Amino acid sequence: MKDLLIYLLAMVLVVPLSKRLGLGAVIGYLIAGALIGPYGFGLLSETVEGEAPHLAEFGVIMMLLLIGLELSPRLLWKQRGPIFGLGFLQVLGTTGLFTAALIAFGWSWPDSVAVGMILAVSSTAVALQTLQEHGYAKSLGGERAFSVLLFQDIAVIPILALLPLLTGADTPSDDSSPLRKTLLIISAVLAIGLAGRFLLRPLFQAVARIKIRETFTALALLIVVASAALMHAVGLSPALGAFLAGVVLADSEFRHQIVADIEPFKGLLLGLFFITIGSDIQFSLIAANPGLVTAWVLAIILGKAGLLYALGRATRMRPPESLLFAASLAQGGEFAFVLLAQTGGLLEPETVQILTISVALSMALAPLLISLTIRHGMSRLECVTPETRLPDTVDESERENPVLVIGIGRFGQTLIRFLKANGIRATVLDIDSEQIDVMARFGIKSYFGDGANLDLLRSAGLTHAKALVIAIDEPETAIKIVEEIRHEYPGLPLFSRAYDRIHAYRLLNLGVTEIAIETSGSALTLGTEVLKQLGISPARADRQAHLFATNNARSIRDLSKRYGTEDRESFI
């Protein structure tokens, strides 16, 4: 109980603090493990230190099941070029780069290849989250980075299978027949595929009819354990079985429920896995080799960034796109810790320690690197996907419209319909060509173009507009647009969608005329109906809603004037 208490306290206290500092959950788990481990405060008993890694491996197995569930054949086919083309080149190129460099420094070829493969993977969590926060997840650089990350997730499976072979590269093979072992492996893979198609779906259907959720969860866990045990029995990584089971079930109607049931187990056990890795970090070794750690961190970031930029340019990505693509992937990844844990007997323990902390530091620096890259005046128009068309030319008659709207998502659609119902003509811009085509079928005309590009806004009629509405769902992009418009057109009335109160304060302080927090209006409407259902008269409920909305708007404006001078928590 004492050890369990220590593990849970470490998760609850250290990990949220790490996320708040912008380091991410993985770094938090590593720090927590380092603090409670034998090289930190030594809070855990020897028995638990020996048993925890075995339990923690199930976190990795469940993570690969969930990755498999995301890899539907349709997604893989749709993005087959970037995933299997660019992704393969990145993994092969990075592996070759580090392998050649390490051999040149006198390393053995098995060790060099192993480290090269381990450093080829990047952090999916860090890269995608940072790109989404800055509004660049749908840019060309962001989408190419996602494709490569997807291939890396797939590539982890063969890498896990290759590491044991490298470990035994200098030892004679056993007496078992290679043909027999190959047939066993093929049979196991086919068994998982056939079971997924003809056995698992009927089983899930039967369990779903019973309507006992615990049984459904038990069946999902049974699949994880059974597929992992089957792969282990034929001499492969247990995680491979879970991954294959996930791929088989990716197009199943039960996929979302399986993800919901497995996710809590995966999160806790994966957290335990990273804590056990952190508990093995020897601070004395790191303190004795600061130059070596620094060299590894720089080698990871600069080596991967240089190769990725070259790949981007070679695949006809423009310089800004290539730069964002390189910055997004120029770090180690979560799977590096998983792979390093499988190198027993291959790499020296001290080398594993140095690599673990170096990968962790590269991940901690990744958000800063991506942010600095984006701040170099890069507009989203420079990073649009090749599938989208060139910016449309706005009709001459549309350039005189009194309102210019940026964004035609669910928020912008309602706004545009409201203006249209009141006889107000609006010119609409968006960078999602598919959404533009869909809305055109419903009679809402819009144009493809990046609202962050001031020249494009001018060509769309900005100089004649009486109001500009920013209805996009990317907070940082909205801030950037407001800053540029306020500098060039200080007198133009600006209206903007706000993600939350903090975003609203920032917009108001930049001079936005009026804001609308995206969920407040619908929440207030629903709350009004609740009051009526509870017996309050409709007239009084409407008055209370109006009063609340007025006071809320006033408080947001009042607080915006003090935002930045006091603790952020007091403004939420």
Side-chain angles (χ1 to χ4, degrees):
M1 293 299 291
K2 168 181 162 290
D3 293 313
L4 178 61
L5 178 65
I6 290 170
Y7 270 118
L8 292 175
L9 275 174
M11 286 184 176
V12 171
L13 297 179
V14 180
V15 176
L17 179 61
S18 174
K19 289 203 70 174
R20 187 172 181 82
L21 293 174
L23 299 177
V26 173
I27 304 297
Y29 285 126
L30 293 172
I31 294 172
L35 291 175
I36 67 177
Y39 304 105
F41 294 109
L43 302 178
L44 300 173
S45 65
E46 293 183 5
T47 303
V48 169
E49 287 177 4
E51 294 178 352
H54 300 296
L55 179 62
E57 287 179 5
F58 275 99
V60 179
I61 291 171
M62 291 184 179
M63 177 169 66
L64 287 170
L65 171 72
L66 294 179
I67 289 173
L69 286 168
E70 294 298 324
L71 298 180
S72 67
R74 281 178 294 181
L75 173 64
L76 293 176
W77 180 255
K78 181 180 178 181
Q79 300 189 22
R80 60 192 181 279
I83 293 174
F84 296 104
L86 193 57
F88 176 77
L89 289 174
Q90 183 273 325
V91 171
L92 183 65
T94 306
T95 301
L97 175 67
F98 283 105
T99 298
L102 291 174
I103 289 176
F105 277 97
W107 285 47
S108 67
W109 75 263
D111 290 7
S112 302
V113 172
V115 172
M117 292 191 297
I118 290 169
L119 297 183
V121 297
S122 306
S123 174
T124 301
V126 170
L128 292 185
Q129 180 176 342
T130 307
L131 288 170
Q132 287 169 355
E133 288 174 355
H134 287 84
Y136 280 78
K138 294 182 180 179
S139 67
L140 178 59
E143 289 199 346
R144 289 293 180 264
F146 172 75
S147 297
V148 171
L149 288 166
L150 205 55
F151 183 85
Q152 290 177 0
D153 291 341
I154 299 172
V156 166
I157 302 303
I159 292 174
L160 281 169
L162 286 172
L163 286 177
L165 299 179
L166 291 172
T167 303
D170 297 325
T171 61
S173 59
D174 55 29
D175 296 331
S176 61
S177 166
L179 178 60
R180 180 174 177 273
K181 189 170 184 178
T182 302
L183 289 175
L184 279 174
I185 292 171
I186 293 174
S187 299
V189 172
L190 286 175
I192 292 176
L194 293 173
R197 184 158 186 85
F198 299 108
L199 179 62
L200 295 184
R201 290 191 181 188
L203 267 177
F204 274 116
Q205 290 171 348
V207 171
R209 283 195 291 268
I210 298 173
K211 297 182 180 180
I212 300 178
R213 183 165 182 177
E214 300 83 57
T215 308
F216 194 97
T217 304
L219 178 57
L221 292 173
L222 174 63
I223 292 170
V224 174
V225 176
S227 55
L230 180 60
M231 286 293 108
H232 181 70
V234 297
L236 292 180
S237 167
L240 175 60
F243 176 80
L244 292 175
V247 172
V248 169
L249 293 170
D251 276 338
S252 166
E253 64 271 29
F254 302 104
R255 178 174 69 89
H256 296 293
Q257 186 61 52
I258 296 171
V259 170
D261 287 342
I262 293 292
E263 187 72 37
F265 297 97
K266 186 270 295 185
L268 285 172
L269 291 174
L270 198 58
L272 178 62
F273 174 81
F274 289 127
I275 285 178
T276 58
I277 291 174
S279 67
D280 287 333
I281 295 176
Q282 300 181 32
F283 289 105
S284 58
L285 179 64
I286 307 303
N289 300 277
L292 183 58
V293 172
T294 303
W296 270 113
V297 173
L298 291 176
I300 292 170
I301 294 177
L302 297 179
K304 295 184 75 171
L307 178 69
L308 288 160
Y309 184 83
L311 279 177
R313 297 293 290 133
T315 53
R316 299 181 180 179
M317 293 168 63
R318 289 177 292 176
E321 300 160 349
S322 301
L323 191 62
L324 180 62
F325 172 66
S328 301
L329 301 174
Q331 80 283 137
E334 299 88 353
F335 276 122
F337 304 123
V338 177
L339 297 171
L340 283 168
Q342 307 296 320
T343 57
L346 180 63
L347 300 178
E348 293 294 329
E350 290 187 2
T351 302
V352 173
Q353 292 281 327
I354 296 292
L355 287 173
T356 297
I357 194 66
S358 300
V359 169
L361 288 173
S362 73
M363 290 171 62
L365 292 172
L368 177 62
L369 181 62
I370 297 172
S371 299
L372 288 175
T373 301
I374 289 174
R375 287 172 189 168
H376 276 283
M378 186 183 296
S379 79
R380 289 184 300 158
L381 189 58
E382 294 177 306
C383 300
V384 293
T385 60
E387 291 80 13
T388 54
R389 53 181 180 264
L390 292 173
D392 295 332
T393 301
V394 178
D395 295 342
E396 191 68 36
S397 60
E398 299 271 335
R399 296 178 189 175
E400 302 293 329
N401 289 344
V403 180
L404 183 58
V405 180
I406 303 173
I408 194 172
R410 62 182 188 276
F411 187 95
Q413 291 169 25
T414 304
L415 171 74
I416 295 161
R417 288 169 53 212
F418 177 74
L419 293 175
K420 190 174 181 180
N422 285 274
I424 305 297
R425 293 172 56 84
T427 303
V428 187
L429 295 175
D430 201 290
I431 61 167
D432 189 337
S433 60
E434 291 184 3
Q435 182 71 4
I436 290 172
D437 294 337
V438 169
M439 297 315 299
R441 293 199 290 268
F442 291 93
I444 297 179
K445 186 176 182 179
S446 48
Y447 298 91
F448 175 78
D450 181 23
N453 186 287
L454 197 58
D455 291 332
L456 188 63
L457 291 178
R458 289 193 183 102
S459 68
L462 181 64
T463 53
H464 304 290
K466 297 179 181 178
L468 174 67
V469 180
I470 303 168
I472 60 177
D473 60 356
E474 299 158 351
E476 293 303 321
T477 304
I479 293 292
K480 181 179 179 180
I481 293 173
V482 171
E483 289 174 339
E484 292 185 358
I485 295 296
R486 270 291 163 254
H487 182 265
E488 297 293 329
Y489 298 90
L492 179 66
L494 291 181
F495 301 84
S496 179
R497 168 189 186 177
Y499 177 74
D500 54 19
R501 291 177 72 94
I502 299 299
H503 189 212
Y505 301 147
R506 296 174 65 193
L507 290 168
L508 289 171
N509 286 336
L510 289 172
V512 170
T513 309
E514 191 59 73
I515 54 90
I517 299 177
E518 57 186 43
T519 56
S520 61
S522 55
L524 192 56
T525 299
L526 191 63
T528 304
E529 296 303 316
V530 172
L531 292 181
K532 295 175 182 178
Q533 181 64 35
L534 295 177
I536 296 177
S537 68
R540 184 186 173 192
D542 291 337
R543 283 198 305 273
Q544 291 298 107
H546 178 72
L547 180 63
F548 180 89
T550 302
N551 290 335
N552 188 54
R554 185 185 301 116
S555 70
I556 290 175
R557 286 191 172 276
D558 292 341
L559 287 171
S560 69
K561 298 172 184 176
R562 305 198 332 256
Y563 179 67
T565 62
E566 301 178 22
D567 181 58
R568 172 172 169 165
E569 295 294 335
S570 62
F571 290 89
I572 298 177

